[in-house]
Amino acid sequence: MIEPTTHATAVSLEGRAVLLLGPSGVGKSDLALRLIDRGWRLVADDRVVLTARDGLLWASAPAALQDLIEVRGVGIVPQPTIAAQVVLAIDLVATPERLPDPVLLNLAGVAVPHLGLDAGGESAPLKVERALRAHGLAVKDAIVAQPPSSQPVPSAPPMLVITGMSGAGKASTLKALEDLDYEAVDNLPLGLVEALLASAEGGDAGERALARPLAFGIDTRTRAFEAEALVARLRALRGEGVDVRLIYIDCSDDELVRRFSETRRRHPLAADRPAADGIGRERELTEPLKRWADLVIDTTELSVTDLRRLIAERLGRSGKHDLTVTLQSFGFAHGLPRNADLVFDMRFLANPHWDVTLRPLTGEDLQVAAYVAADPAYAPAIDRIADLLLTLLPGYGREGKAYLTIAIGCTGGRHRSVAVSRELAARLAAAGHAPTLIHRDVGRQGNDAAILTATPGTGEQGTA
């Protein structure tokens, strides 16, 4: 689960934090850097976790951004972060008054003095220090010495918006979430979204963390449905610190046509036309949602049981904030996985299919794994792929990506891709990750024999 955050930078002096507000590029990180040079401490850069506790407002860095600051022209560099009480908010885009009377800004239910300031001036760091002394709230030494990081308040659960193609499994997804103790609402009118958000945000952070998380379904049946408007609203909510995620349930067009034919249901957008017409129209209408989705789940090859398991693995309330990594073996002959983020092709390795004793086995068998590993190209390739993944994964986590699917392919999906996926999963696990391992095509018995038409040893493969 990802902490709800506020777009801001926070710095602290003697345990009292100042929140620097403003859009990207206004100079928040630059001003923070100048203050750090004067002895201030960094609390968080770019995104700040705000926690209300006992009437006080605390700031800390989200897990992905701890001990980091952006230095324009240099990059993301290490900088130790601490937790501190927020006693002043400074808006770097508001026109500063000559003799201001600070107004109170409500942040997470706590009133904090609020001033405007020009971040670009040479005297800006001095002005921030003077503002802290003149308008910062009084802070008791005992409180400063014990920030809430010593007794962390659990993060409020994320809000899930479930959307996607009709017939792809949105209703099954919501039922699975309901079994995971989510409060699930289907086909929610857009006008009621605000009321649900208000109820979900009520109470303090600890109360919200213990409350049932909310998941609601929105699709083309929803009254006044407009994808672009929904995306804009969700973006605005994230900017306000609401942890809301968009889940898109997808499926291939051919499989959707088959499902509507088998169930004899009419497509909601094709009451008097073939289901394929409604599917095409719906795909066009929901394309903006798919592009912006945090997670796309393709159910083309999933049973209801498989879908429920996948929902439990990826959206269960584990309380962790880590990147969820899935390693999936597959066969190119059966198509690329539709939800893959990274794809690696293992067809350059020696193929166990040509050994009649290994052909009935899979990459999960030791004999096949040893055969694949004996290829001279195996060790250097696996070393480089593992190093690449271990380099990329922390970056994906810092950028807020919640899910990553790594697809490992060979011709039929039974031998080389399975063996390599198992090896990479072991290496990622040894490095502290907890990848999920899925073999998509391992159960397709004898598929290589039907697919491969090459002469052994030529390296040329095709489809029959």
Side-chain angles (χ1 to χ4, degrees), residues 222-238:
T222 302
R223 184 182 304 173
F225 174 83
E226 186 179 346
E228 294 287 0
L230 179 58
V231 168
R233 183 65 187 113
L234 294 178
R235 283 177 173 168
L237 288 171
R238 284 191 175 178

Side-chain angles (χ1 to χ4, degrees), residues 241-253:
V242 178
D243 187 4
V244 57
R245 302 188 201 170
L246 181 63
I247 315 298
Y248 188 96
I249 311 300
D250 199 7
C251 185
S252 70
D253 290 357

Side-chain angles (χ1 to χ4, degrees), residues 56 260 423:
L56 305 176
F260 277 104
E423 174 62 22

Side-chain angles (χ1 to χ4, degrees), residues 57-333:
L57 183 65
W58 296 91
S60 60
L65 299 178
Q66 285 183 355
D67 301 325
L68 297 171
I69 188 172
E70 178 184 358
V71 181
R72 294 216 169 197
V74 177
I76 306 296
V77 301
Q79 181 65 46
T81 55
I82 62 170
Q85 184 190 341
V86 178
V87 298
L88 179 65
I90 294 181
D91 191 340
L92 301 183
V93 294
T95 302
E97 298 181 20
R98 182 175 180 181
L99 298 173
D101 289 323
V103 298
L104 293 179
L105 180 65
N106 190 313
L107 295 170
V110 178
V112 176
H114 177 232
L115 293 171
L117 183 67
D118 178 10
E122 292 184 5
S123 62
L126 293 171
K127 290 180 178 179
V128 173
E129 292 180 356
R130 295 298 191 276
L132 177 62
R133 294 171 187 168
H135 302 296
L137 295 170
V139 181
K140 296 178 182 179
D141 293 339
I143 296 177
V144 173
Q146 298 179 357
S149 55
S150 60
Q151 296 181 348
V153 176
S155 299
M159 183 179 302
L160 303 181
V161 179
I162 311 299
T163 188
M165 299 294 293
S166 299
K170 297 191 303 298
S172 297
T173 299
L174 286 169
K175 289 179 181 177
L177 290 170
E178 200 167 27
D179 291 341
L180 294 171
D181 202 31
Y182 279 78
E183 185 175 350
V185 184
D186 195 11
N187 196 19
L188 182 70
L190 295 181
L192 296 180
V193 172
E194 297 296 337
L196 273 175
L197 292 176
S199 64
E201 294 182 89
D204 62 28
E207 291 173 349
R208 293 198 303 273
L210 297 175
R212 292 181 66 193
L214 177 65
F216 55 87
I218 293 181
D219 56 32
T220 52
R221 298 171 299 155
T222 302
R223 184 182 304 173
F225 174 83
E226 186 179 346
E228 294 287 0
L230 179 58
V231 168
R233 183 65 187 113
L234 294 178
R235 283 177 173 168
L237 288 171
R238 284 191 175 178
E240 296 167 8
V242 178
D243 187 4
V244 57
R245 302 188 201 170
L246 181 63
I247 315 298
Y248 188 96
I249 311 300
D250 199 7
C251 185
S252 70
D253 290 357
D254 289 343
E255 177 63 15
L256 289 174
V257 169
R258 187 190 68 79
R259 292 179 186 180
F260 277 104
S261 176
E262 286 188 352
T263 60
R264 299 185 180 181
R265 291 174 49 219
R266 292 187 180 275
H267 192 282
L269 298 184
D272 55 353
R273 300 192 307 279
D277 292 349
I279 291 169
R281 176 59 178 155
E282 186 171 43
R283 195 167 291 286
E284 178 184 344
L285 290 174
T286 62
E287 182 60 28
L289 298 178
K290 184 177 180 180
R291 288 198 308 269
W292 197 73
D294 296 281
L295 174 63
V296 176
I297 298 177
D298 190 289
T299 66
T300 303
E301 309 247 355
L302 297 181
S303 66
V304 174
T305 301
D306 291 336
L307 176 60
R308 294 175 68 87
R309 175 188 54 76
L310 184 62
I311 294 298
E313 289 175 353
R314 296 201 166 191
L315 301 175
R317 300 181 66 183
S318 65
K320 296 182 178 180
H321 310 299
D322 300 333
L323 174 70
T324 299
V325 179
T326 299
L327 277 163
Q328 181 179 48
S329 68
F330 74 97
F332 281 96

